[in-house]
Amino acid sequence: MPLEAGLLEILACPACHAPLRQETDGSGETAELVCESESCALAYPVRDGIPVLLVDEARRPS
């Protein structure tokens, strides 16, 4: 299930404070939130519909 639009508007990357965008998996579920800053671009997981906005849990861009 996609995150609520209002929630996505207020969330920001904990590392650099840039906006986040949703990335979905094959079933349309939100899999992660990705930082829109090119210098950061961390990807934060979404588990059971809850964003895990911890830098230690984020995936680094490849």
Side-chain angles (χ1 to χ4, degrees):
M1 165 177 15
L3 294 176
E4 217 175 278
L7 176 62
L8 195 56
E9 286 178 13
I10 63 171
L11 291 178
C13 175
C16 71
H17 309 291
L20 297 169
R21 72 175 183 278
Q22 293 185 79
E23 295 286 323
T24 57
D25 60 16
S27 68
E29 294 288 316
T30 301
E32 56 189 14
L33 298 177
V34 179
C35 177
E36 292 187 348
S37 168
E38 289 183 23
S39 62
C40 179
L42 289 173
Y44 298 92
V46 176
R47 296 186 186 126
D48 298 323
I50 301 169
V52 181
L53 297 177
L54 300 171
V55 176
D56 291 342
E57 295 283 325
R59 179 178 59 80
R60 294 270 173 207
S62 49

